[in-house]
Structures are given as C-alpha cells and as structure tokens.
Amino acid sequence: MCFPHQRFNSTLQLYRFSTENPVYELLAESIPYPFSDVFSYADLYLSEDGERLIAVTSYTDERKQEATLSIYSLAFPPLNKADLIQNPSEATNRWIYLFIPLFLVVLSGILVVCKRRYRKQSLNDQPDAGKQPEVIQEETASDPIIGIKPLHEGIQKQSILLFGGFQVIDRDSNKITGDFTPTLKQLFLLILLYTLKDGKGISSVKLREILWFDKSNESAKNNRGVSLSKLRGIFEKIGPISIGCMNSYWTVEFGEDIYCDYYEALILMKRIAHQAEHKDINRLVSIASAGELLPNLETEWVDSFKADFSNKLIDLLLSLIEQSSRYNLTPSMMIHIADAIFAHDSLNEDALKIKCTLLVEMGKNGLAQKAYTAFTKEYQSLFGVDFKYSFEQIIS
C-alpha cells in the first residue's frame, strides 16, 4: 500500500510490483488515509483462509487525544483497475449516439434556466441558507490588493500571520492557532489565498477536490457547512472577518481592524513596483524577514502560492538593489534586503554576493566570512557537493 507522504488528506492505493522487471500496476480502489507522521499507522494482512486482504489504518488526533481505527477488506486475489472497467457493447454505443442530440438539446435548456437563476442558486449553495452573502466588492475584483485597506504598524492583536508559520492572535492578544484543526486551517487558507490571488476566490468544486475528494457531493457540502460554521465561531474571537459565496466561489473579507502580514506584503509589493519609498521598502523587508510563507504547511495545493510569492518578492528586492543609487539605499539597508531574500531562498547566490561584498566594503570581513561559511555548509548539506565559488570570487 502506497500513499503521498507530503499530504495530510491522503489515500492508500494498493500496488502490485514485479520482482523481475521494474513495473507495477494499480489494484482496486484507493481508501482514505489521514497522514500525520507518527500519529498515523497502516498495515496490510492476508486472512487465514487466503480469500481476503485486510487493510488496517489508524489516526490519532493529538489535540483531542482520540484515535480512529478503520478496517477494510478486499477479495483475494485483487483485480487491477483495467479489469474492473467493463467495455461498452456495440449496441450500447449505438444507443449513446442516438441519444447525444437529444441530450444536447436538454442540456442547452438547463443551461438557460441556470443562467437565469444563478443568484438564487449561489445563495442556496451557502451553508446558512437565507442569509445575504458577504463578498468582495465587484470593483476590486480585477485588482483586489491596492487601496483596499490601510497598512498596520503593530501586530499585537487581531492578526493573521502566514510568514514563518501560521499564527492567529485574537482581539485580546491571545494566540488561538490551536483552535484551527488541520482541515479548518486548510479551508481558511484556501479561501484566503485564492481571494488575494485575483479577488475571485475558490470554487466549491475545487474545495471538494482538495479537502473532501473521498466524499459524495452531499457529504462534502455538509462537511463544508460544518467547517465554515466552526470558522465563523473562531472569527468571533478575532474580529470582523467574513466568508461569503457568490456564484459558487468562496471569498474572505477583513474588517479594518484585522491585520494579515501576507495581505500587507502584497499591498507593499504593488506600491513599491509602482513607486518605491523608503518606508514601504523597510516595512516589506521587515515582514518578509519573518520567514517563508507557510513553511509548516506541506500540501500540494499551496506549493504554487509559495513559489509564486517567493519568485516575485526576490525579483522585486533584487531590482531594488540593482537600482540602489536611484532609491538612495544605504549599505545596511541593502544587507537587510539580502537577509530578507535568504529568508525565502536560503541558497540565493545573488543575495550571498550582495551581503558579503557590502560587509567587506564596510570593513566587516569576519561577518562576511561567517555568512559565506554558513552558506557553503548548507549548500554542501543539501546538494552533497562543494559550492563552486570561493569567497574571493564572491566578493570580486
């Protein structure tokens, strides 16, 4: 039984491997498997009569101190997926071809009706039917970042932090990150990141594919409703945060008192790209220096957000250094920018060259050598080879 180790909401798939050739085949259907390091367990057995395979899985919720044990059985020997699919007969194919035109006519009629009733359908899609959905305003959909809300200077309370790790601070300055179960955290972050991506949000279909792929439409909708209700309960501790749905797309909206470091970083990057000012540069560097975006969330869907943000941030910061004279950047400021780049790409060679060169020019040769040594050690540890440039080549 195999499963992807990088996902929490995972599945176990039965494989048959050849002992003679490098080939394998997939057998039967997959089964759900929440994977969380030592808190998850799975094993496969053959029954005493040799007629069934028995799979046993368990998952322990550390916060609730509860364990869930699941047992699955499968007739032995198992069939591969190709054997389970029955090819349609020629007669069936003929009937399909006869009904295609009729089906298209009916489908066209349904689409017309759906188009006329889309507002009513989008409202019914919400778990709290009958309430007016709260959505991002239409005029900000093309660019949901610039000018929506003022920047925040402090992070004492009512904060959503994504850099260096997911953290939530309520209106009383208490850390309530533990209130978010793995599913609640992913649901909130999915809606948040997709909202800030283009203002459109994330569709109900995509939410189901990511979080409840192993459930029916009705079951997935029920799970989504329960999870959203729990999120709204948590939001009451933080402040004005609302999740709404329009045309089956879910979005999140913050009140003016809510601070989100990722939100502010996106605003600052837009501002700096348009017109760079020292206060905005310093603020962006301060936020970005906290660390990578959601480093402890290792799931497939978030990788594109991490890569996209890091690439844009690093390109912007490097362009600022390249035009340092235009923006009157001091050597110390440029070193801080290099450190911010390292927080998102610890093996960035451009940042290493900038930092070491500036430190040497400032007469801080020892610090430059320490930065180079730390970089080369991590490089060797990760790639298994020595860094190709010497210290002298880096600062030349």
Side-chain angles (χ1 to χ4, degrees):
M1 292 189 298
C2 304
F3 67 97
H5 291 195
Q6 74 276 14
R7 295 174 54 187
F8 172 73
N9 289 317
S10 184
T11 56
L12 283 166
Q13 176 67 57
L14 188 63
Y15 284 73
R16 176 159 51 209
F17 292 88
S18 171
T19 58
E20 299 176 353
N21 301 305
V23 296
Y24 65 87
E25 57 182 327
L26 277 64
L27 304 174
E29 294 294 331
S30 61
I31 57 177
Y33 183 53
F35 176 68
S36 180
D37 197 30
V38 296
F39 300 106
S40 298
Y41 170 82
D43 212 336
L44 184 66
Y45 305 91
L46 180 64
S47 63
E48 290 185 356
D49 56 15
E51 295 183 355
R52 290 182 301 161
L53 285 174
I54 300 173
V56 179
T57 69
S58 70
Y59 168 67
T60 301
D61 188 325
E62 186 182 18
R63 188 173 64 86
K64 296 182 179 179
Q65 291 295 306
E66 294 178 355
T68 301
L69 180 69
S70 301
I71 301 175
Y72 304 85
S73 66
L74 178 68
F76 186 84
L79 300 176
N80 61 35
K81 288 192 172 183
D83 295 332
L84 297 174
I85 301 175
Q86 182 177 4
N87 293 324
S89 64
E90 293 183 3
T92 303
N93 286 335
R94 285 197 297 270
W95 279 107
I96 290 174
Y97 293 133
L98 288 174
F99 276 104
I100 284 178
L102 178 60
F103 172 74
L104 292 176
V105 172
V106 175
L107 179 61
S108 299
I110 293 174
L111 290 176
V112 171
V113 174
C114 289
K115 184 175 181 181
R116 291 177 180 175
R117 300 182 179 179
Y118 75 97
R119 292 185 182 276
K120 181 178 180 180
Q121 289 175 349
S122 64
L123 182 60
N124 290 338
D125 189 56
Q126 298 185 62
D128 298 327
K131 293 186 178 180
Q132 184 67 24
E134 298 173 275
V135 296
I136 297 294
Q137 294 299 315
E138 187 173 315
E139 60 266 27
T140 64
S142 60
D143 191 347
I145 305 304
I146 294 181
I148 285 185
K149 61 198 293 291
L151 301 180
H152 288 63
E153 297 300 329
I155 315 178
Q156 290 83 23
K157 57 184 180 179
Q158 294 182 285
S159 301
I160 310 292
L161 309 178
L162 308 190
F163 293 114
F166 179 67
Q167 291 187 64
V168 180
I169 304 173
D170 68 11
R171 55 166 52 92
D172 297 319
S173 301
N174 299 315
K175 292 184 179 180
I176 59 170
T177 314
D179 290 357
F180 289 80
T181 64
T183 298
L184 290 183
K185 179 169 72 173
Q186 284 207 61
L187 176 60
F188 173 56
L189 290 174
L190 276 164
I191 298 174
L192 172 62
L193 294 181
Y194 272 93
T195 299
L196 296 182
K197 179 181 180 181
D198 54 15
K200 186 177 181 181
I202 184 171
S203 68
S204 299
V205 173
K206 197 168 188 68
L207 278 178
R208 181 197 168 198
E209 290 176 351
I210 295 175
L211 297 179
W212 300 288
F213 60 91
D214 57 335
K215 302 188 181 299
S216 65
N217 285 332
E218 190 63 28
S219 178
K221 187 174 181 179
N222 290 337
N223 276 269
R224 186 186 68 216
V226 171
S227 296
L228 287 170
S229 179
K230 292 179 179 178
L231 277 180
R232 291 184 177 109
I234 296 175
F235 294 160
E236 291 178 359
K237 301 178 183 179
I238 306 169
I241 303 176
S242 60
I243 290 180
C245 181
M246 178 64 76
N247 299 335
S248 295
Y249 276 80
W250 296 87
T251 56
V252 64
E253 188 172 12
F254 294 153
E256 291 186 357
D257 295 332
I258 304 299
Y259 173 82
C260 176
D261 57 354
Y262 178 65
Y263 197 172
E264 184 172 352
L266 294 178
I267 297 174
L268 290 166
M269 289 169 67
K270 291 281 187 178
R271 288 188 178 182
I272 292 170
H274 178 68
Q275 183 178 356
E277 296 184 5
H278 272 211
K279 64 177 182 179
D280 289 340
I281 296 173
N282 284 330
R283 185 63 181 154
L284 177 61
V285 169
S286 175
I287 294 172
S289 296
E292 183 189 351
L293 177 68
L294 297 170
N296 299 322
L297 183 59
E298 297 181 359
T299 186
E300 192 173 321
W301 68 264
V302 80
D303 290 342
S304 61
F305 286 97
K306 292 183 179 183
D308 184 62
F309 177 81
S310 294
N311 289 335
K312 289 181 179 178
L313 174 70
I314 292 171
D315 288 346
L316 176 63
L317 295 180
L318 288 175
S319 70
L320 291 174
I321 293 178
E322 289 174 1
Q323 305 176 69
S324 58
S325 58
R326 175 184 175 185
Y327 300 121
N328 297 318
L329 300 182
T330 64
S332 296
M333 196 171 184
M334 287 189 282
I335 290 175
H336 288 315
I337 292 176
D339 286 335
I341 294 174
F342 280 136
H344 296 264
D345 181 7
S346 60
L347 295 180
N348 189 284
E349 296 179 16
D350 292 323
L352 177 67
K353 184 175 181 65
I354 291 166
K355 183 172 183 177
C356 289
T357 301
L358 289 172
L359 286 172
V360 169
E361 291 177 356
M362 296 168 68
K364 300 179 179 180
N365 298 321
L367 292 178
Q369 186 66 57
K370 286 182 179 179
Y372 175 81
T373 301
F375 181 97
T376 55
K377 284 183 178 179
E378 185 173 356
Y379 188 96
Q380 206 284 332
S381 175
L382 184 61
F383 296 111
V385 296
D386 293 334
F387 185 52
K388 55 186 175 181
Y389 296 118
S390 66
F391 178 73
E392 289 72 20
Q393 290 174 311
I394 284 294
I395 63 175
S396 61

